[in-house]
Amino acid sequence: MAVQALASVDALGGDTGSKQLVYRGRALHMESVCINRIAAAVPTPFYCYSSDAIRAAYLSLSAALKPIGASVCFAVKANGNLSVLGVLSALGSGMDIVSGGELKRAVSAGVPASKIIFSGVGKKRSEISSALEVGIHQINIESEAELEAVVEAAGALGVRAAIALRVNPDVDAGTHAKISTGKKHDKFGIPFEDIPALYAKALAAPELDPVGLAVHIGSQIVDLSPYRSAYSGIADLVRLLRSRGMPVRRLDLGGGIGIPYDHGSSPDLGEYATIVRETVGGLDCELTVEPGRWLVGPAGILVTEVLYIKETADRLTAIVDAGMNDLMRPAMYGAVHPVLPLKHVRQGSHTYQIAGPVCESSDIFGTYGNLAPLQSGDRLAFGYAGAYGASMASTYNARDLAAEVLVDGDRFRVVRRRQTTEDLLTLEEETEWQWSVGSGRA
Ligand SMILES: *Cc1c(COP(=O)(O)O)cnc(C)c1O
């Protein structure tokens, strides 16, 4: 595994990846709160998010999209914490959901149903019905079979369902194979060539109101050119559908904008907006984008404590109290999150492999260079952990789900308490046998 240079602590108060995460007096702060102060009150590991960073990201994205009139629906799966959703919802953000659970989260956060889009490749019939009951803005359809399920659910409820067809544009997003969603062999979307017939079928169903098309080609996209290919293809489809007399009034352009985890570059929002304008801007459609990672990723850290330093013939390993169950991205995608000591002593020359306690060889965060010597009890933060961190966490190895903390200015609060094994054991209390097949009953 490559050794990560610790660019973030090259200079005190220098580039930590966000304006809200800075060293003051050698102590890492989020906004005005010293993270060690939080760690004194909340046991590690825990997630910590900056309200200000989330607001700033939302405002700069909506400013970049304003000239093209596109609205923003935050992809809840990146971070579904109610308070995080609340920060975004207060700014007027809509939400993109992929399950009935995320629908409940968005509604509980106070997001009006008229601003919620239901995406996802395998919606259960019960989830479709719940979405229609609350008056969801739009359901993005991923197959003909799903279209039929929506017809049935809408018919049973006596409502008309606004639907868009999610197109698989067969475009390579140039991202990790596990987060590519727009190539022909990916499970997502409806093949380009099948769209006209299915759109016509939807138009013929009185239970459906086909409003347009949706596309989402993948995640952590840093080279923007795949967007141009995908959106050009969508524009061609809109023209084709219209030429056959089929109305198209909304386009959902998906998410996927990448962030600079390893101090690479971040895509330019102005350039993204230009691509949108040049491809679909002249079609007179309502436009929506669905970023998840870009809005919340840089706003969060995962705080952990060094348990032990293990010295072997060829390396030093720092074993920390956060593991792959808390932050799955390194094990799942080979992702590298920058590491920031809570107390910055000086730039060092030590290289450590940082490993979690989970009983899996893949529970490794990475190998980091330029660190000052670490010892048991030192606290570290993994940066860019606000997206696909807490939302992907599990209790594997019977480990508690880490608490989540939100900072706003000089204040912080726990916005999800640690979920303990005691909480989980209540779901496993002994129950009566419910059915037996050996009884001779017919
Ligand atoms: C996951 C997802 C997104 C958000 O992706 P990011 O890479 O986090 O921006 C948007 N739309 C759909 C349909 C998704 O599945």
Side-chain angles (χ1 to χ4, degrees):
M1 194 176 289
V3 174
Q4 284 304 111
L6 214 72
S8 33
V9 289
D10 277 352
L12 282 184
D15 175 25
T16 52
S18 97
K19 266 200 329 241
Q20 290 78 12
L21 193 61
V22 289
Y23 283 104
R24 283 200 196 97
R26 301 192 167 259
L28 192 63
H29 283 63
M30 184 162 269
E31 304 190 32
S32 304
V33 179
C34 174
I35 296 162
N36 259 321
R37 284 281 301 276
I38 304 176
V42 182
T44 54
F46 62 86
Y47 279 95
C48 181
Y49 312 120
S50 158
S51 315
D52 191 47
I54 297 169
R55 283 193 289 259
Y58 180 86
L59 293 174
S60 70
L61 183 66
S62 47
L65 297 174
K66 199 167 180 201
I68 50 174
S71 62
V72 177
C73 277
F74 170 64
V76 172
K77 73 177 188 284
N79 188 327
N81 184 284
L82 277 189
S83 300
V84 168
L85 299 184
V87 169
L88 286 163
S89 168
L91 297 171
S93 180
M95 302 284 155
D96 172 63
I97 57 160
V98 293
S99 70
E102 287 189 356
L103 175 65
K104 287 180 193 159
R105 285 190 168 277
V107 168
S108 303
V111 182
S114 60
K115 286 187 168 183
I116 303 176
I117 294 180
F118 196 176
S119 302
V121 73
K123 305 172 195 76
K124 292 177 74 136
R125 281 155 208 268
S126 56
E127 294 175 313
I128 294 169
S129 299
S130 312
L132 291 173
E133 274 167 23
V134 300
I136 195 134
H137 181 61
Q138 175 178 314
I139 299 179
N140 291 349
I141 302 290
E142 299 237 5
S143 63
E144 182 163 10
E146 190 180 61
L147 186 89
E148 283 158 11
V150 175
V151 167
E152 268 177 41
L157 290 167
V159 297
R160 198 150 170 251
I163 60 116
L165 299 185
R166 174 165 173 184
V167 183
N168 181 322
D170 193 20
V171 163
D172 185 347
T175 186
H176 191 282
K178 285 189 180 153
I179 47 176
S180 162
T181 58
K183 284 172 80 173
K184 201 181 262 177
H185 64 255
D186 292 328
K187 69 175 178 179
F188 297 97
I190 297 161
F192 215 85
E193 57 277 12
D194 298 346
I195 294 286
L198 200 55
Y199 207 91
K201 178 171 170 172
L203 277 167
E207 298 87 350
L208 301 181
D209 174 19
V211 295
L213 301 173
V215 68
H216 171 71
I217 56 174
S219 200
Q220 186 50 18
I221 297 170
V222 285
D223 165 18
L224 296 178
S225 52
Y227 281 119
R228 186 177 288 280
S229 317
Y231 296 167
S232 302
I234 294 298
D236 290 343
L237 255 186
V238 172
R239 286 185 281 264
L240 177 74
L241 294 176
R242 285 177 175 169
S243 74
R244 298 189 186 170
M246 298 187 249
V248 181
R249 53 180 208 271
R250 286 186 205 160
L251 294 179
D252 175 345
L253 301 172
I257 305 174
I259 57 176
Y261 288 104
D262 46 6
H263 296 277
S265 59
S266 191
D268 180 68
L269 288 184
E271 198 183 322
Y272 176 76
T274 302
I275 291 174
V276 172
R277 182 167 45 76
E278 290 178 356
T279 51
V280 297
L283 295 169
D284 192 27
C285 284
E286 274 170 51
L287 302 176
T288 303
V289 296
E290 303 168 341
R293 188 187 310 273
W294 196 88
L295 287 173
V296 294
I301 56 174
L302 172 63
V303 181
T304 186
E305 188 170 301
V306 176
L307 296 174
Y308 304 107
I309 303 297
K310 182 169 173 176
E311 206 172 333
T312 48
D314 60 335
R315 62 161 63 117
L316 282 170
T317 301
I319 297 166
V320 299
D321 68 358
M324 63 187 284
N325 70 299
D326 301 301
L327 180 61
M328 206 189 290
R329 301 190 63 264
M332 189 156 165
Y333 309 126
V336 176
H337 288 259
V339 72
L340 300 158
L342 259 52
K343 183 158 174 268
H344 178 50
V345 189
R346 67 194 138 80
Q347 171 110 10
S349 56
H350 285 66
T351 295
Y352 289 91
Q353 169 175 267
I354 300 184
V358 172
C359 297
E360 292 288 338
S361 299
S362 53
D363 186 22
I364 302 284
F365 289 96
T367 299
Y368 297 85
N370 298 340
L371 284 169
L374 290 175
Q375 56 186 18
S376 175
D378 285 351
R379 294 189 184 120
L380 304 172
F382 290 104
Y384 291 95
Y388 304 105
S391 66
M392 287 178 92
S394 78
T395 58
Y396 184 42
N397 278 204
R399 287 168 50 77
D400 297 347
L401 274 191
E404 294 172 275
V405 173
L406 186 69
V407 169
D408 196 353
D410 59 1
R411 302 173 300 176
F412 75 88
R413 63 194 168 98
V414 174
V415 290
R416 183 182 74 189
R417 74 164 172 85
R418 170 181 291 262
Q419 184 195 64
T420 65
T421 300
E422 286 70 28
D423 293 329
L424 291 181
L425 288 178
T426 63
L427 305 176
E428 297 173 37
E429 277 157 6
E430 264 195 69
T431 55
E432 297 295 307
W433 297 110
Q434 284 173 334
W435 186 247
S436 163
V437 287
S439 61
R441 270 178 280 154

